[in-house]
Amino acid sequence: MDNSTPIFRSLEMIEERILEKLTAEKLAESVHFSKYHYQRLFRETVGESVMRYVTRRRLALAAAELAQTDASVLDIGLKYGYESHEGFSRSFKAFLGVTPMEYRKYHFAVSSPVTQKERCVMMYSKTTDEIIRELNGLIVQTRETAEYTRREGAGGNVEFYDSFWECIAARAESMAEELSQALERITAIVRQPDEITVRFEVIKAIEDAAFQANVAVLQINLTLSRAKPEHRRAYDSLCEKYNVLAQNAGMKAEKIAAFFNELAALIFQDMRKNAQQALEKTAEKGRTALGMLGKDFMLPYAYIADELAAITDELSNMALEEVTVSRLEDCLLRLDIVAFAADMDVLRAPSYEPLFQGIWDFKEQMVQAMALFQSLSWDASQAPAASEERTGPGSKKYRDLAFQEGILLFYLKGEIQKLGQRLSREQKADLEKVCSSLSKSIALAEHASGEEEAGEIAGTVRHVCDQMKSLADDLGTYGAPLRFLAEEVSGPVKYL
C-alpha cells in the first residue's frame, strides 16, 4: 500500500501511539484534516468510526496481555487508558462477550495443550492481532482504490469508459466488503476460540481478493488494448492503482497462507449428505444458465456457453468421494471469470442482460455449495499432501500454469467471436488452430511433472504466441487485443 495515503498514515500512528490519550481532533490534526472531514473519510475507508477502531485495537491488545502475561487486570486496564477495574471490565465484556477474568481463565485452562487442536488454538490467538492489522491495511487500500477509480474514471469523452470504470470500482468495493466480513469473523474467533471453519473462511477471503484483483488487472488491460492511444494514456494512473492493489493482495495472501497450512489439518471429515444435495443443486443451476443463454449463433456468446457447459459437466460427473475443496475452488474461480466477462458484455449490449441472469444465479449457488464443503470436507488437511505424493513436488506449478492458460484461452475465444466478420476465412481457421494448440498445451500442463514436459509446453506456447502476434499485425487496429493476449499467454511459461 502507498504509505503516503492519509488514512493509512493515521492507522500507523494509532498503532505507534496506542497507549497515549488519542482523540479524533489529534488524529485529524496529524494528517492536516478538519475533524469532520477526517471522521467522515475514516469511516468511509475503514468501515467504522475512528474512536471505535481505537477502542477495538486497545481491547485486542489487552486481551493478548491477559492471555500471555501475569499482569493484573487493573494494571492492564490502566495501561490501555481505563481509569478503573469496573470501566475496563465493562468495556471488555461489551467487546468480547466475557469479562477479563473469564477470558484469562479460559486461556489458562488451555495453557498446557495436549491435543493438536488446542495447540493450534493457542497459536492462532497469538497471531490474530497481526492478521487484523494486515487485513485492515488491505481493506483500506481496496476502498481507496475504488474511490480513486470513481474520481479519475468519470467524465471522459467516451461514455463506455464511465460505465466501465464504475463497474471496476463496484467490483473493488465488493472485494473490500468481503474482506470486512472476514475481519468481523476474526473478531468472532476470540469469542469462540474453537471455531475452525471461521479461520478457513478468513484465509480464503484474502486469497480470493488477491485473485479478483489480478483478474481485474487482466480485464482492464484487455479493455484498454482496444482503446485509442490517447484514451489509454488518460487511464495510466488507474491501471497502476490496480497493479499495486493486486501485488499487495498477493503478498498478504502468501503471508497468511503459511498460517492456513498449519490450521488446515484441523478440518475433519463429517457427514456429507447435505453436500451431495448441494452439488446436485449447483449443477442444475448451471444447466438452467445454459438454457437461458440459448443457442443463438448470431450472438458472440458461444465462448461463454462453452465454458458454462464445461463447468456444469465437471460438477455433474464429480462423484462425492472425488469432491475436494480445491476442485470446487477451481470451478468457482472459472465461473467468476465467466460472470465477469458477462458483466462486460452487458455493458456493451444492455438489452441482452436477461440472457446472463442464470450465470449470476449459478455463481450464487456455487458460493453456497463451497461454504458447505469448506465446513465438511477432509481434503483441506489431507488432499494436498496426498496429491503431492502422487504427482511429485513440481506438479502444482504445472497445474497452476494450466489454470492460467485456461483463463487466457477463454478470453481468446471471446475475442475471436467479437471480431466476427472482420476475420477472413483463413484468419479464422488460423485462430482456431491457435486455440487447438493452446488447448493441447493446457492438457499437457495439467498432468506434467518434469522438465521434459516443461520444454514441450514452452515450445508450444511460444509457437502459439508467434501466430497470434502475426495475426494481430494482419488485423491492424483490431488486432490489439490479440497482441495483448499473446503477451499474457507467454508470461507464465517464462519461469518453467
Side-chain angles (χ1 to χ4, degrees), residues 419-437:
L419 286 168
Q421 299 301 317
R422 294 189 175 94
L423 294 173
S424 68
R425 182 178 300 178
E426 291 77 12
Q427 287 171 329
K428 187 173 182 181
D430 287 342
L431 282 169
E432 288 174 353
K433 290 178 182 177
V434 166
C435 291
S436 178
S437 296

Side-chain angles (χ1 to χ4, degrees), residues 66 73 85 88-90 92-94 96-105:
L66 284 165
V73 171
H85 185 291
F88 175 53
S89 295
R90 186 167 54 251
F92 192 94
K93 185 172 184 179
L96 294 171
V98 294
T99 67
M101 287 300 295
E102 290 169 336
Y103 185 82
R104 171 170 275 174
K105 183 179 179 181

Side-chain angles (χ1 to χ4, degrees), residues 116 260-268 380-382:
Q116 181 184 21
F260 168 66
N261 289 336
E262 295 292 331
L263 293 169
L266 299 175
I267 309 259
F268 52 85
S381 58
Q382 299 183 33

Side-chain angles (χ1 to χ4, degrees), residues 149-150 152-169 216 218-228 231-232 235 238 301 303 340-350 411 415 418 481:
T149 303
R150 287 203 167 92
E152 299 298 321
N157 296 325
V158 181
E159 184 176 349
F160 166 77
Y161 289 113
D162 286 352
S163 301
F164 171 73
W165 289 116
E166 173 59 33
C167 180
I168 296 297
L218 174 62
Q219 183 67 66
I220 288 167
N221 284 310
L222 180 60
T223 298
L224 293 182
S225 73
R226 306 186 190 101
K228 295 179 180 179
H231 293 152
R232 286 199 295 272
Y235 298 125
L238 274 169
Y301 304 139
Y303 76 110
F340 196 7
D343 288 338
M344 295 296 101
D345 281 325
V346 167
L347 287 178
R348 297 185 185 92
Y411 280 113
E415 288 304 316
K418 288 176 175 62

